[in-house]
Amino acid sequence: MAPDFDIIILGGGCAGLSLGMRLAKLGRDCPRVAIIEKRAQYVSDRTWSYWASKSAQLKHLARAEWKKVAIKGAGKNLSIDCADVPYQAIDSATFYDAAVAEVSGNDNISFYRGEDIKSLRKKGELWEVELRDGTVSGRQVIDTRPALDSERAVPLMWQSFSGVEVECAENTFDVGVATLMDFINGPEGQVTFLYLLPYSRTRALIEITVFGRDSRNEGDLASILHEWVKKITGSATVKINYREHYAIPMGLPQIEQSKDASYVRAGIEAGGARASTGYVFQRIQRWAAESSERVRRRQPVRGHNADPWVMRKMDQLFLRVLLRNPERGSELFVRLFAMRDPRSVIRFMHDEATLLDYLKIMCALPHSLFLAELVRGLFR
Ligand SMILES: Cc1cc2nc3c(=O)[nH]c(=O)nc-3n(C[C@H](O)[C@H](O)[C@H](O)COP(=O)(O)OP(=O)(O)OC[C@H]3O[C@@H](n4cnc5c(N)ncnc54)[C@H](O)[C@@H]3O)c2cc1C
């Protein structure tokens, strides 16, 4: 029997829509695609920040960019000039609007919204997805839905964050610099810092981020966030535009894709997140671009590429050192950014580090902590 679709994308969030957008750009060469998404409507629910390197995608959607970032901690106050790789932020609503417009403009793509996928099964060569009013079939399924709790692997560490976008009645923020990390006291045994993206002199995203073995819920971070919002905004009248909270799993084991190449998992929990930084957005864009290129060449879509061995080892080592020595977290990050050429660490963060960058990073960090962890690794 002929399938309804060549490709069915389960989940129309960042990964699903990014792939949909890329496929839509193939024009008449776009295969028959279905995107099936639970949400009926998209609202602004997150802000994606990333280093806008030459190869970064969708930079035109950015709501703001910063050519200077600040790192504060361990008695240092660093201002890093990053004009050649600025730090940018995209409001998710802008991305959703652009993606929906793009996929809706290609007749080969059917977009099912407000559909909570009931079941997925393979019948012969075809996948069948059960929806509210019947089933749709396809040759290949790209599953970007979050894994079930029971299937979820244990990450080495969690990056939990809670933030608010505030609007102040008076000028409050310096738009010239984004504060990437301002280390503060947080929950016991966790590396905690403040993150501040000033969109204008009156509007900013203020966030508390915690690196730790366990994830933190919104309530855990509420009082510390409230305290810092008050400290930063002082006597200004403050309106809260929106809130965000999330916990990114860091250092997840490499996922095993199904042996059946017609079922592929993708997205944040399927190799989309960089182990040591939690950056996801640009990795998803790269995967979407590579996938659409494969489709153009009539090859099946694959999951996220495995990170190079050196990168995986460095990431794991860094996370393990951080886990064992949370009290030295601020010192470790400050040392990295205090390197003579901080572009090495910036390249490391956005997956473009060279071997020389890795060497420089290793030299910048306290050797004893890392050697001890390396030795422990030999016995693990
Ligand atoms: C508040 C917040 C801030 C973030 N900030 C950054 C950042 O600054 N930089 C960065 O790189 N990353 C950031 N991330 C991490 C990451 O980029 C996002 O989580 C990203 O959205 C992950 O994309 P995804 O497609 O894997 O998951 P999602 O975008 O969550 O998409 C999964 C989709 O599947 C749908 N779905 C689930 N179940 C079903 C079902 N049964 N039927 C149909 N549809 C279903 C969901 O509705 C959702 O749309 C942030 C995440 C959050 C939550």
Side-chain angles (χ1 to χ4, degrees):
M1 228 173 56
D4 301 317
F5 298 100
D6 300 302
I7 297 175
I8 301 183
I9 302 172
L10 307 182
C14 182
L17 285 178
S18 298
L19 178 59
M21 260 170 126
R22 282 287 179 167
L23 294 175
K25 282 190 198 302
L26 296 176
R28 289 211 304 228
D29 289 338
C30 177
R32 288 165 306 146
V33 175
I35 303 174
I36 304 174
E37 165 58 34
K38 185 157 69 172
R39 289 177 273 187
Q41 297 291 335
Y42 289 95
V43 292
S44 174
D45 59 356
R46 60 200 69 181
T47 302
W48 285 298
S49 307
Y50 54 89
W51 296 96
S53 68
K54 276 203 181 70
S55 65
Q57 306 290 317
L58 304 181
K59 290 184 273 193
H60 61 287
L61 299 181
R63 71 182 292 183
E65 81 167 24
W66 299 271
K67 295 191 166 102
K68 269 203 171 98
V69 294
I71 312 284
K72 302 174 190 174
K76 295 236 164 67
N77 190 344
L78 308 175
S79 171
I80 315 284
D81 186 338
C82 56
D84 48 349
V85 188
Y87 198 64
Q88 290 188 342
I90 294 180
D91 180 345
S92 56
T94 311
F95 167 83
Y96 296 139
D97 286 350
V100 170
E102 191 93 54
V103 299
S104 309
N106 190 313
D107 293 341
N108 289 353
I109 302 185
S110 302
F111 195 3
Y112 296 81
R113 281 199 254 179
E115 285 281 3
D116 192 348
I117 294 153
K118 297 200 181 322
S119 72
L120 169 71
R121 59 176 176 266
K122 193 152 188 199
K123 237 178 160 181
E125 290 297 295
L126 300 184
W127 287 98
E128 283 189 353
V129 184
E130 189 187 350
L131 304 178
R132 225 180 4 236
D133 298 323
T135 57
V136 290
S137 62
R139 279 186 221 285
Q140 193 183 28
V141 162
I142 315 300
D143 196 348
T144 74
R145 295 170 300 167
L148 297 174
D149 281 346
S150 55
E151 294 172 350
R152 198 165 273 149
V154 181
L156 268 178
M157 196 178 231
W158 288 93
Q159 180 185 153
S160 311
F161 51 88
S162 262
V164 282
E165 186 190 296
V166 294
E167 199 164 339
C168 301
E170 297 100 69
N171 289 340
T172 307
F173 306 108
D174 171 6
V175 286
V177 53
T179 302
L180 277 199
M181 296 176 141
D182 182 355
F183 290 90
I184 57 175
N185 289 328
E188 178 74 28
Q190 314 240 321
V191 183
T192 307
F193 59 87
L194 193 78
Y195 175 79
L196 193 152
L197 300 184
Y199 300 131
S200 72
R201 297 186 73 184
T202 54
R203 191 185 279 225
L205 177 70
I206 303 177
E207 212 151 79
I208 302 291
T209 301
V210 171
F211 284 2
R213 196 179 290 279
D214 305 311
S215 65
R216 297 275 155 175
N217 61 38
E218 200 167 356
D220 292 341
L221 303 179
S223 66
I224 182 163
L225 175 63
H226 181 74
E227 173 195 335
W228 278 95
V229 169
K230 274 209 92 67
K231 269 192 202 165
I232 292 165
T233 55
S235 57
T237 311
V238 176
K239 183 177 138 227
I240 295 200
N241 288 341
Y242 102 108
R243 295 178 177 276
E244 65 172 41
H245 174 84
Y246 195 49
I248 298 184
M250 296 168 77
L252 279 172
Q254 203 77 36
I255 76 144
E256 281 208 23
Q257 293 284 357
S258 159
K259 292 203 170 50
D260 178 350
S262 69
Y263 177 83
V264 170
R265 285 197 57 213
I268 185 165
E269 293 177 34
R274 172 72 188 277
S276 65
T277 61
Y279 282 117
V280 182
F281 186 76
Q282 288 299 341
R283 289 166 67 92
I284 283 179
Q285 300 317 314
R286 270 204 302 278
W287 163 79
E290 286 162 13
S291 301
S292 82
E293 182 50 26
R294 288 184 63 79
V295 170
R296 199 185 59 76
R297 286 193 257 116
R298 305 204 183 287
Q299 294 167 339
V301 172
R302 288 202 301 225
H304 297 268
N305 290 329
D307 287 324
W309 185 87
V310 193
M311 189 197 278
R312 269 186 286 147
K313 290 292 162 203
M314 284 282 285
D315 282 355
Q316 282 179 8
L317 190 61
F318 190 75
L319 291 181
R320 287 188 194 282
V321 168
L322 209 54
L323 262 180
R324 204 175 292 280
N325 308 278
E327 72 294 346
R328 295 188 67 177
S330 56
E331 177 203 336
L332 295 177
F333 283 104
V334 167
R335 274 181 182 244
L336 282 179
F337 280 94
M339 281 195 302
R340 197 175 317 143
D341 184 2
R343 278 175 300 186
S344 290
V345 69
I346 293 177
R347 278 193 292 270
F348 175 73
M349 292 176 97
H350 67 77
D351 299 5
E352 287 181 12
T354 60
L355 267 179
L356 186 60
D357 292 327
Y358 286 120
L359 275 174
K360 285 186 188 167
I361 287 168
M362 283 197 286
C363 292
L365 292 166
H367 302 153
S368 56
L369 290 188
F370 282 80
L371 280 174
E373 201 52 53
L374 266 178
V375 172
R376 274 190 203 100
L378 296 177
F379 298 100
R380 221 175 347 252

